[in-house]
């Protein structure tokens, strides 16, 4: 049965999608079958994995996306696409998903639709990684509710890095109380670190103070231009620039996640 994680932070541009795509691809290189579920209307994970919305919607019978899965309850199996990478599959998103945030409000089981949809395909994967939009609306709530094994929180090493984090943690608490009692923080990952700036170093210290010991991943992802170039070629960092500092960091991060996944819950930094 697959382990399910989402990557969430309502701030945009902190490295959520980059983390989903590259951790996901690394896990496939370790022999795991991985499903990326794109729950962001911006569909950056979808396009990073080489899938083009224009081609999809131009066909006479466009294949379903996460939108049809959440709003019309179409079987998620029909929405799964293969990618160039063996063992890495994706449930794509589409800009129409922006409407789902409102459409879901009037529907039954509006917070649990993704969790229920995933049950039918969990047996085929080792890891499900859910990418979320930069908001704390129903799409992110669906992702948090579905994440049996935890939420990964990227924090950018930038000015005001901690801003908004208490709001995110409050939302996580609410979801844990009402929808997903198992929900825990799988780890906080510092991203876009620039060792030359004092600011980056200060953010690392602040974040380590803010979260409990063990909650912050030891791996810090450096700012690395290769990471930002790879998606435009539909590649992950491991095919685009396997020797880069970005590739090394995401390999180390994924290894940490694998090690944490093996530990009994009580030894982890559970909030
Ligand atoms: P989010 O999904 O949180 O909005 P992204 O993963 O899309 O964030 O990252 C925002 C932008 O920063 C993207 O253009 C991405 O390619 C770039 N980026 C992400 N991580 C890094 C990094 N470690 N170094 C350099 N650029 C990065
Ligand atoms: Mg994103």
């Amino acid at each position: 049965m697959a382990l399910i994680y989402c990557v969430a932070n309502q701030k945009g541009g902190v490295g959520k999608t980059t983390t989903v795509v590259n951790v996901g691809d690394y896990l496939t290189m370790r022999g795991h079958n991985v499903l990326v579920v794109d729950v962001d209307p911006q569909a950056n994970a979808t396009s990073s994995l080489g899938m083009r919305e224009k081609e999809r919607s131009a066909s006479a019978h466009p294949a379903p996306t996460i939108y049809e899965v959440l709003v019309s309850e179409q079987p998620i199996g029909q929405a799964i696409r293969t990618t160039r990478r063996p063992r890495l599959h994706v449930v794509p998103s589409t800009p129409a998903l922006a409407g789902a945030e409102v459409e879901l409000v009037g529907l039954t089981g509006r917070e649990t639709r993704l969790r229920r949809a995933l049950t039918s395909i969990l047996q085929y994967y080792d890891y499900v990684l859910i990418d979320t939009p930069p908001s704390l609306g129903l799409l992110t709530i669906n992702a948090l509710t579905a994440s049996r094994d935890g939420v990964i929180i990227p924090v950018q090493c930038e000015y005001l890095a901690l801003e908004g984090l208490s709001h995110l943690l409050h939302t996580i608490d609410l979801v844990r109380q009402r929808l997903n009692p198992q929900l825990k923080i799988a780890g906080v990952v510092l991203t876009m670190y620039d060792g030359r700036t004092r600011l980056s170093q200060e953010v690392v210290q602040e974040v380590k103070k803010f979260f409990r010991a063990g909650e912050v991943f030891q791996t810090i992802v450096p700012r690395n231009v290769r990471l930002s170039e790879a998606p435009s070629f539909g590649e992950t960092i491991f095919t685009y620039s396997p020797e880069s500092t970005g590739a090394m960091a995401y390999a180390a991060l994924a290894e940490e996640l694998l090690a944490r996944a093996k530990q009994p819950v009580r030894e982890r930094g559970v909030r």
Side-chain angles (χ1 to χ4, degrees):
M1 284 291 249
L3 300 179
I4 311 175
Y5 298 93
C6 71
V7 178
N9 184 336
Q10 78 276 27
K11 262 196 199 181
V14 298
K16 291 183 289 295
T17 302
T18 307
T19 299
V20 165
V21 166
N22 292 306
V23 168
D25 191 32
Y26 182 83
L27 293 174
T28 71
M29 287 159 51
R30 289 281 258 104
H32 297 294
N33 291 315
V34 177
L35 179 66
V36 166
V37 181
D38 192 351
V39 182
D40 181 359
Q42 290 174 47
N44 291 337
T46 302
S47 56
S48 297
L49 291 170
M51 224 126 311
R52 290 196 187 82
E53 166 65 16
K54 273 193 200 126
E55 287 165 20
R56 189 195 72 86
S57 51
S59 89
H61 300 285
T65 66
I66 191 66
Y67 174 83
E68 287 78 13
V69 171
L70 292 176
V71 174
S72 336
E73 296 192 298
Q74 286 202 29
I76 197 166
Q78 293 174 10
I80 294 175
R81 295 324 129 75
T82 55
T83 70
R84 278 195 226 161
R85 300 291 277 159
R87 285 196 278 270
L88 184 59
H89 293 173
V90 61
V91 175
S93 178
T94 154
L97 189 65
E101 198 79 77
V102 175
E103 288 167 76
L104 280 170
V105 171
L107 301 177
T108 53
R110 59 190 181 183
E111 296 107 343
T112 52
R113 287 194 163 211
L114 181 58
R115 176 166 72 196
R116 279 182 289 131
L118 285 171
T119 52
S120 63
I121 47 100
L122 288 184
Q123 69 212 77
Y124 305 113
Y125 294 96
D126 302 303
Y127 287 86
V128 173
L129 301 179
I130 308 167
D131 193 17
T132 64
S135 68
L136 293 174
L138 272 174
L139 293 171
T140 297
I141 301 287
N142 263 275
L144 290 170
T145 303
S147 297
R148 292 193 305 200
D149 299 281
V151 47
I152 297 167
I153 305 175
V155 174
Q156 190 185 352
C157 295
E158 257 309 325
Y159 182 55
L160 297 181
L162 293 177
E163 195 194 51
L165 276 181
S166 4
H167 196 183
L168 174 62
L169 296 182
H170 180 63
T171 304
I172 291 172
D173 280 339
L174 288 180
V175 171
R176 187 185 301 115
Q177 283 161 31
R178 298 183 192 162
L179 296 158
N180 179 8
Q182 271 176 263
L183 183 59
K184 58 183 166 279
I185 294 175
V188 175
V189 55
L190 289 148
T191 63
M192 297 183 231
Y193 177 82
D194 183 349
R196 294 166 304 181
T197 68
R198 232 176 88 180
L199 179 62
S200 267
Q201 296 165 17
E202 279 168 12
V203 171
V204 172
Q205 295 315 316
E206 272 180 45
V207 167
K208 284 187 174 162
K209 254 187 257 160
F210 185 83
F211 288 95
R212 296 180 190 177
E215 261 178 351
V216 183
F217 285 109
Q218 272 169 17
T219 306
I220 297 177
V221 179
R223 189 172 278 286
N224 175 221
V225 70
R226 299 280 176 230
L227 283 168
S228 55
E229 291 167 354
S232 57
F233 300 97
E235 298 204 39
T236 73
I237 195 65
F238 298 105
T239 53
Y240 180 69
S241 188
E243 308 292 324
S244 63
T245 56
M248 285 186 238
Y250 272 109
L253 179 67
E255 287 291 347
E256 269 195 74
L257 187 68
L258 283 169
R260 286 184 183 208
K262 282 194 208 118
Q263 281 172 30
V265 169
R266 131 179 65 78
E267 286 178 27
R268 279 179 252 163
V270 183
R271 279 189 88 82

